[in-house]
Amino acid sequence: MDIDVARWIQEFLLQQPIEDRTMKTLLDILPYDNDDYRLMKRILLRSISSEISKGSVSEKTLETLEIIEEYDYQRGIVVLDSMREAYCAVAVHCTVMCLKENPYDFRNYFDAVIRIWRYRISDMEICERVGLVSERLKDTRDVIEEALWNVDVRNDVLTRDTWNDALISLKVYLADATEEIGPSFLEIVAKTEIAAKTMNGKGKEVHISAKNLQADQTEEREAFSSDVPRENFDVNIGDHLGHKGRDMAMDSCMEIPRATNHEYAIIATPEVRKVQEALKLSTLDLQAVVKDPLPDALHLAATISASMAREETNNSVENQNVVDKGACVPSVDEGVKVVDTDEANTRNPSTVSRPSLMVRNCTARTYEWDNDSIESSYEGSPNRPHLPTPRKRVVSPLSKQEIRKNSRRKIKKWSSAEEQTLREAVKECGRGNWKLILDRYRETFEERTVVDLKDKWRNMTR
DNA sequence: CTAGGGTTAATC
DNA sequence: GATTAACCCTAG
């Protein structure tokens, strides 16, 4: 399949409310451009989104933000204020969490201060990677460190709802970042089609202004042809995508916010016609080789969504049971009182519209993402991204498999708090229910896997 | 997802 | 080098 067509599909999928494992499968079957920073950023943003939908704010989130900042730096994108705020809030939470877990034993807190504020953040300053280092972050560092020896400051820190602060900041950043990165190529195509149908009645050739694409979709345009003059860019996009691609983009467009005011125009050039042909062929190749999984995935999502809406309307009390069974994890959005609506729960299932691309689907079983990240999930196949290391701090470009071949996770000793929690958890949940234990005590077993829990128990009972 | 064997790295 | 804890791999 043509790498650009694959990328369009991947970008589109990343904005769909698709269950994470399904998402991984869908993305895995598509080829990948190793140098596609925009797509990588979309994956990382989705990773954060998935994390916060599970209520998880960890040092992994911190690292993801750093990676995004690296890529933004590479692309000359200025760090957003909301990103600095989010980074600061997450750093605070990751540190204070250790204090809250054990307010009378500062060892974990001290370790976290050293690890996060001395090594991670101070190292960024030393390396002159100051994109995320704000004055507020420096001031906060003083407070966090003062809490080590000043009881009043410590008590003040302990009263803060750092988890909620971090979640809200992350949500604000995600909204900003999503706006910055702009809609996917297929969304633009779909909007164009709709605009054309609205204006001309029958969807004749659409005129797209290169100005708009220059602003938001530079890389998409480059995908067509780097030889094409940027101001003379003419594509009959509908033809390139074929009916399936066009319909797909059309569907996605239904729920896309109409906020953007793009102007479109099309001008024909021989180069573009050549590319048109190439795209047609690659689309036909795709259709011949694989059954498009998207319609099924979307249909399934809609079915589950309708089913959930029915259930919740009929019996709101049962909702919690459903959550426990993992059929639908409640959105953290509600927990942090950020804009959300239960409209979907009350509407008639027969008229359920497709969920917004930007709103997390309650049917997405995000809790199943092991190792807590879409990022890690997406790394599993050999054709996953191999992005170059941008600056001093290494952002591993290797897939998980490759990482395992070459290295191991850094050994992290089990803290006494972790051991104690594990003992109590085994008493409570029973030996062998490692997944349940991990889910229940995710805060304590921050960077542990179910296998780690199992191995630790084995060691403790030897 | 879990269990169990294997490997690696830290410590003595 | 032996021991051990932490981590990895894989069959079922």
Side-chain angles (χ1 to χ4, degrees):
Chain A
M1 186 198 303
D2 184 282
I3 194 81
D4 297 317
V5 175
R7 176 162 46 80
W8 297 340
I9 296 171
Q10 285 167 323
E11 281 186 345
F12 175 75
L13 290 173
L14 281 166
Q15 293 181 308
Q16 291 298 309
I18 298 171
E19 188 264 333
D20 299 332
R21 285 183 188 279
T22 308
M23 173 74 77
K24 177 185 180 318
T25 307
L26 292 174
L27 294 186
D28 276 354
I29 63 173
L30 298 165
Y32 193 90
D33 177 1
N34 292 337
D35 297 323
D36 192 337
Y37 290 95
R38 280 173 68 94
L39 183 55
M40 193 60 193
K41 183 173 177 180
R42 286 183 197 276
I43 291 173
L44 292 170
L45 289 174
R46 166 128 186 176
S47 158
I48 294 177
S49 176
S50 172
E51 290 286 297
I52 63 177
S53 73
K54 290 180 287 185
S56 170
V57 178
S58 65
E59 285 179 54
K60 191 159 196 164
T61 315
L62 217 49
E63 189 165 347
T64 304
L65 287 169
E66 288 171 11
I67 295 169
I68 292 174
E69 190 270 333
E70 291 278 1
Y71 293 152
D72 282 350
Y73 176 83
Q74 292 287 313
R75 295 170 54 220
I77 294 172
V78 177
V79 176
L80 298 165
D81 285 340
S82 57
M83 188 182 197
R84 290 197 193 92
E85 284 293 310
Y87 186 81
C88 183
V90 173
V92 167
H93 175 66
C94 291
T95 320
V96 172
M97 188 179 64
C98 297
L99 189 58
K100 285 181 174 172
E101 275 175 5
N102 199 343
Y104 305 107
D105 182 353
F106 300 156
R107 273 176 301 182
N108 286 351
Y109 182 64
F110 180 78
D111 288 348
V113 171
I114 297 298
R115 189 173 63 248
I116 296 172
W117 298 87
R118 281 291 154 189
Y119 288 160
R120 190 180 280 277
I121 294 175
S122 293
D123 279 358
M124 282 198 298
E125 286 184 278
I126 292 166
C127 298
E128 297 183 343
R129 276 192 57 216
V130 291
L132 290 168
V133 182
S134 60
E135 286 304 313
R136 183 170 142 77
L137 189 72
K138 291 177 188 170
D139 293 344
T140 307
R141 175 170 56 194
D142 295 340
V143 174
I144 291 291
E145 290 183 356
E146 192 177 352
L148 277 169
W149 50 269
N150 186 324
V151 180
D152 292 336
V153 174
R154 188 159 59 238
N155 289 337
D156 178 54
V157 163
L158 277 169
T159 60
R160 293 188 198 173
D161 190 351
T162 57
W163 178 72
N164 206 29
D165 292 346
L167 287 174
I168 291 174
S169 303
L170 283 169
K171 283 187 71 67
V172 171
Y173 166 62
L174 282 179
D176 286 354
T178 304
E179 191 181 331
E180 181 273 320
I181 204 166
S184 68
F185 180 72
L186 291 183
E187 289 169 28
I188 289 179
V189 171
K191 274 195 270 189
T192 306
E193 288 281 328
I194 283 184
K197 284 186 178 172
T198 306
M199 290 168 64
N200 304 332
K202 278 282 180 178
K204 292 175 186 172
E205 187 154 312
V206 185
H207 294 272
I208 304 176
S209 159
K211 282 182 187 172
N212 159 52
L213 294 176
Q214 196 163 5
D216 281 348
Q217 299 294 331
T218 304
E219 289 170 33
E220 276 79 357
R221 288 192 296 110
E222 287 169 353
F224 276 104
S225 166
S226 57
D227 298 324
V228 179
R230 294 192 173 194
E231 301 303 323
N232 292 310
F233 191 64
D234 177 356
V235 184
N236 187 338
I237 299 162
D239 283 349
H240 300 155
L241 294 172
H243 290 300
K244 187 179 281 186
R246 192 165 45 193
D247 291 344
M248 195 164 74
M250 190 75 81
D251 283 346
S252 78
C253 176
M254 297 306 180
E255 293 294 329
I256 296 168
R258 302 283 197 264
T260 46
N261 297 315
H262 298 307
E263 224 183 314
Y264 302 107
I266 283 182
I267 309 163
T269 68
E271 291 90 342
V272 167
R273 293 197 191 288
K274 218 189 296 177
V275 176
Q276 285 180 2
E277 285 306 312
L279 286 170
K280 273 185 202 170
L281 287 174
S282 57
T283 304
L284 289 174
D285 284 349
L286 166 67
Q287 290 171 1
V289 173
V290 297
K291 175 179 178 291
D292 185 359
L294 190 61
D296 287 346
L298 294 178
H299 181 254
L300 181 63
T303 307
I304 296 172
S305 181
S307 152
M308 290 303 301
R310 266 199 305 275
E311 275 184 38
E312 289 177 19
T313 305
N314 292 341
N315 189 346
S316 60
V317 177
E318 283 180 10
N319 186 35
Q320 187 56 45
N321 297 335
V322 175
V323 169
D324 289 342
K325 288 173 191 168
C328 176
V329 178
S331 171
V332 172
D333 299 354
E334 294 160 26
V336 295
K337 296 182 180 60
V338 177
V339 184
D340 207 341
T341 170
D342 59 357
E343 187 184 330
N345 297 341
T346 53
R347 63 191 172 206
N348 183 341
S350 64
T351 61
V352 169
S353 61
R354 203 183 304 288
S356 164
L357 293 175
M358 300 307 184
V359 175
R360 203 183 78 82
N361 184 354
C362 77
T363 60
R365 297 191 297 164
T366 50
Y367 69 95
E368 280 199 351
W369 250 342
D370 207 357
N371 290 336
D372 310 328
S373 162
I374 189 171
E375 178 197 354
S376 55
S377 301
Y378 294 164
E379 288 169 355
S381 70
N383 64 349
R384 287 307 88 200
H386 293 253
L387 290 163
T389 304
R391 272 185 276 165
K392 280 194 176 180
R393 205 173 52 70
V394 174
V395 176
S396 174
L398 299 173
S399 73
K400 185 178 282 184
Q401 282 177 344
E402 286 167 322
I403 288 170
R404 281 180 184 168
K405 274 181 201 166
N406 299 326
S407 67
R408 295 160 65 94
R409 276 189 296 162
K410 194 181 171 190
I411 288 182
K412 187 187 170 195
K413 291 278 289 179
W414 278 66
S415 68
S416 51
E418 283 179 307
E419 290 178 346
Q420 186 55 32
T421 304
L422 184 59
R423 281 192 203 95
E424 288 167 12
V426 170
K427 245 185 242 173
E428 184 186 336
C429 307
R431 177 188 167 282
N433 297 316
W434 310 117
K435 181 77 171 68
L436 175 66
I437 292 173
L438 184 61
D439 286 341
R440 196 165 288 187
Y441 299 96
R442 195 168 279 282
E443 289 278 298
T444 306
F445 302 127
E446 183 96 46
E447 293 169 32
R448 305 296 181 188
T449 68
V450 284
V451 177
D452 291 337
L453 300 186
K454 181 260 300 175
D455 288 337
K456 180 60 185 176
W457 186 251
R458 180 170 56 178
N459 284 336
M460 287 168 69
T461 54
R462 264 177 180 161

mmCIF file of all heavy atoms in Angstrom, chain A residues 188 192 206-214 260-266:
data_model
loop_
_atom_site.group_PDB
_atom_site.id
_atom_site.type_symbol
_atom_site.label_atom_id
_atom_site.label_comp_id
_atom_site.label_asym_id
_atom_site.label_seq_id
_atom_site.Cartn_x
_atom_site.Cartn_y
_atom_site.Cartn_z
ATOM 1 N N ILE A 188 -10.186 16.795 6.065
ATOM 2 C CA ILE A 188 -10.206 17.960 5.183
ATOM 3 C C ILE A 188 -10.864 17.590 3.860
ATOM 4 O O ILE A 188 -11.686 18.315 3.321
ATOM 5 C CB ILE A 188 -8.781 18.488 4.950
ATOM 6 C CG1 ILE A 188 -8.282 19.137 6.228
ATOM 7 C CG2 ILE A 188 -8.752 19.477 3.811
ATOM 8 C CD1 ILE A 188 -6.878 19.673 6.111
ATOM 9 N N THR A 192 -14.253 19.097 2.354
ATOM 10 C CA THR A 192 -14.247 19.673 1.027
ATOM 11 C C THR A 192 -15.411 19.135 0.200
ATOM 12 O O THR A 192 -16.123 19.861 -0.471
ATOM 13 C CB THR A 192 -12.920 19.338 0.313
ATOM 14 O OG1 THR A 192 -11.855 19.754 1.147
ATOM 15 C CG2 THR A 192 -12.844 20.033 -1.010
ATOM 16 N N VAL A 206 -13.835 20.215 -6.621
ATOM 17 C CA VAL A 206 -13.741 21.145 -5.505
ATOM 18 C C VAL A 206 -12.515 22.017 -5.643
ATOM 19 O O VAL A 206 -11.477 21.571 -6.100
ATOM 20 C CB VAL A 206 -13.636 20.351 -4.197
ATOM 21 C CG1 VAL A 206 -13.662 21.305 -3.025
ATOM 22 C CG2 VAL A 206 -14.769 19.358 -4.117
ATOM 23 N N HIS A 207 -12.651 23.227 -5.213
ATOM 24 C CA HIS A 207 -11.509 24.138 -5.317
ATOM 25 C C HIS A 207 -10.936 24.413 -3.942
ATOM 26 O O HIS A 207 -11.610 24.909 -3.064
ATOM 27 C CB HIS A 207 -11.940 25.424 -6.010
ATOM 28 C CG HIS A 207 -12.323 25.154 -7.422
ATOM 29 N ND1 HIS A 207 -11.416 25.166 -8.457
ATOM 30 C CD2 HIS A 207 -13.500 24.771 -7.961
ATOM 31 C CE1 HIS A 207 -12.030 24.845 -9.592
ATOM 32 N NE2 HIS A 207 -13.311 24.595 -9.308
ATOM 33 N N ILE A 208 -9.697 24.064 -3.805
ATOM 34 C CA ILE A 208 -9.054 24.167 -2.506
ATOM 35 C C ILE A 208 -7.904 25.161 -2.556
ATOM 36 O O ILE A 208 -7.050 25.089 -3.422
ATOM 37 C CB ILE A 208 -8.476 22.810 -2.079
ATOM 38 C CG1 ILE A 208 -9.582 21.768 -2.088
ATOM 39 C CG2 ILE A 208 -7.819 22.897 -0.727
ATOM 40 C CD1 ILE A 208 -9.094 20.390 -1.783
ATOM 41 N N SER A 209 -7.883 26.049 -1.599
ATOM 42 C CA SER A 209 -6.797 27.009 -1.528
ATOM 43 C C SER A 209 -5.573 26.387 -0.894
ATOM 44 O O SER A 209 -5.641 25.733 0.135
ATOM 45 C CB SER A 209 -7.234 28.212 -0.703
ATOM 46 O OG SER A 209 -6.099 28.890 -0.238
ATOM 47 N N ALA A 210 -4.444 26.583 -1.521
ATOM 48 C CA ALA A 210 -3.205 26.037 -0.967
ATOM 49 C C ALA A 210 -2.836 26.713 0.338
ATOM 50 O O ALA A 210 -2.105 26.164 1.139
ATOM 51 C CB ALA A 210 -2.076 26.224 -1.971
ATOM 52 N N LYS A 211 -3.360 27.897 0.556
ATOM 53 C CA LYS A 211 -2.991 28.629 1.774
ATOM 54 C C LYS A 211 -3.349 27.822 3.008
ATOM 55 O O LYS A 211 -2.562 27.671 3.921
ATOM 56 C CB LYS A 211 -3.716 29.968 1.831
ATOM 57 C CG LYS A 211 -3.092 31.017 0.944
ATOM 58 C CD LYS A 211 -3.861 32.315 1.109
ATOM 59 C CE LYS A 211 -3.356 33.330 0.107
ATOM 60 N NZ LYS A 211 -4.188 34.520 0.096
ATOM 61 N N ASN A 212 -4.556 27.322 2.961
ATOM 62 C CA ASN A 212 -5.005 26.557 4.109
ATOM 63 C C ASN A 212 -4.130 25.353 4.354
ATOM 64 O O ASN A 212 -3.666 25.095 5.456
ATOM 65 C CB ASN A 212 -6.443 26.104 3.868
ATOM 66 C CG ASN A 212 -6.787 24.935 4.725
ATOM 67 O OD1 ASN A 212 -6.595 24.997 5.923
ATOM 68 N ND2 ASN A 212 -7.248 23.888 4.122
ATOM 69 N N LEU A 213 -3.892 24.607 3.278
ATOM 70 C CA LEU A 213 -3.100 23.402 3.431
ATOM 71 C C LEU A 213 -1.691 23.734 3.857
ATOM 72 O O LEU A 213 -1.052 22.987 4.580
ATOM 73 C CB LEU A 213 -3.086 22.623 2.113
ATOM 74 C CG LEU A 213 -4.437 22.068 1.710
ATOM 75 C CD1 LEU A 213 -4.339 21.418 0.355
ATOM 76 C CD2 LEU A 213 -4.947 21.088 2.739
ATOM 77 N N GLN A 214 -1.229 24.867 3.438
ATOM 78 C CA GLN A 214 0.117 25.246 3.815
ATOM 79 C C GLN A 214 0.205 25.408 5.316
ATOM 80 O O GLN A 214 1.190 25.044 5.947
ATOM 81 C CB GLN A 214 0.478 26.551 3.142
ATOM 82 C CG GLN A 214 1.966 26.823 3.175
ATOM 83 C CD GLN A 214 2.333 27.875 2.179
ATOM 84 O OE1 GLN A 214 1.456 28.458 1.544
ATOM 85 N NE2 GLN A 214 3.586 28.135 2.021
ATOM 86 N N THR A 260 -13.013 25.434 11.969
ATOM 87 C CA THR A 260 -11.966 25.902 11.062
ATOM 88 C C THR A 260 -12.553 26.572 9.834
ATOM 89 O O THR A 260 -13.533 26.123 9.262
ATOM 90 C CB THR A 260 -11.103 24.722 10.607
ATOM 91 O OG1 THR A 260 -11.983 23.669 10.254
ATOM 92 C CG2 THR A 260 -10.186 24.283 11.720
ATOM 93 N N ASN A 261 -11.914 27.631 9.438
ATOM 94 C CA ASN A 261 -12.394 28.378 8.277
ATOM 95 C C ASN A 261 -11.414 28.233 7.133
ATOM 96 O O ASN A 261 -10.690 29.148 6.789
ATOM 97 C CB ASN A 261 -12.531 29.860 8.633
ATOM 98 C CG ASN A 261 -13.569 30.047 9.704
ATOM 99 O OD1 ASN A 261 -14.642 29.464 9.628
ATOM 100 N ND2 ASN A 261 -13.246 30.839 10.719
ATOM 101 N N HIS A 262 -11.392 27.070 6.551
ATOM 102 C CA HIS A 262 -10.443 26.843 5.466
ATOM 103 C C HIS A 262 -11.050 27.230 4.121
ATOM 104 O O HIS A 262 -12.226 27.056 3.875
ATOM 105 C CB HIS A 262 -10.024 25.381 5.438
ATOM 106 C CG HIS A 262 -9.332 24.974 6.688
ATOM 107 N ND1 HIS A 262 -8.262 25.652 7.189
ATOM 108 C CD2 HIS A 262 -9.588 23.974 7.562
ATOM 109 C CE1 HIS A 262 -7.854 25.082 8.293
ATOM 110 N NE2 HIS A 262 -8.658 24.063 8.548
ATOM 111 N N GLU A 263 -10.169 27.690 3.278
ATOM 112 C CA GLU A 263 -10.565 28.085 1.946
ATOM 113 C C GLU A 263 -9.888 27.115 0.988
ATOM 114 O O GLU A 263 -8.696 26.835 1.123
ATOM 115 C CB GLU A 263 -9.977 29.479 1.690
ATOM 116 C CG GLU A 263 -10.921 30.435 1.034
ATOM 117 C CD GLU A 263 -10.167 31.712 0.782
ATOM 118 O OE1 GLU A 263 -9.480 32.177 1.670
ATOM 119 O OE2 GLU A 263 -10.264 32.202 -0.325
ATOM 120 N N TYR A 264 -10.603 26.604 0.055
ATOM 121 C CA TYR A 264 -9.999 25.586 -0.795
ATOM 122 C C TYR A 264 -9.977 25.998 -2.265
ATOM 123 O O TYR A 264 -10.827 26.693 -2.758
ATOM 124 C CB TYR A 264 -10.794 24.279 -0.668
ATOM 125 C CG TYR A 264 -10.865 23.781 0.738
ATOM 126 C CD1 TYR A 264 -12.053 23.867 1.455
ATOM 127 C CD2 TYR A 264 -9.752 23.247 1.363
ATOM 128 C CE1 TYR A 264 -12.129 23.413 2.759
ATOM 129 C CE2 TYR A 264 -9.828 22.806 2.653
ATOM 130 C CZ TYR A 264 -11.017 22.880 3.354
ATOM 131 O OH TYR A 264 -11.084 22.430 4.633
ATOM 132 N N ALA A 265 -8.969 25.517 -3.021
ATOM 133 C CA ALA A 265 -8.900 25.770 -4.461
ATOM 134 C C ALA A 265 -8.107 24.662 -5.121
ATOM 135 O O ALA A 265 -7.250 24.058 -4.505
ATOM 136 C CB ALA A 265 -8.215 27.102 -4.741
ATOM 137 N N ILE A 266 -8.393 24.379 -6.383
ATOM 138 C CA ILE A 266 -7.686 23.307 -7.078
ATOM 139 C C ILE A 266 -7.169 23.805 -8.424
ATOM 140 O O ILE A 266 -7.868 24.446 -9.167
ATOM 141 C CB ILE A 266 -8.617 22.104 -7.314
ATOM 142 C CG1 ILE A 266 -8.759 21.343 -6.005
ATOM 143 C CG2 ILE A 266 -8.086 21.200 -8.390
ATOM 144 C CD1 ILE A 266 -9.602 20.127 -6.122
#
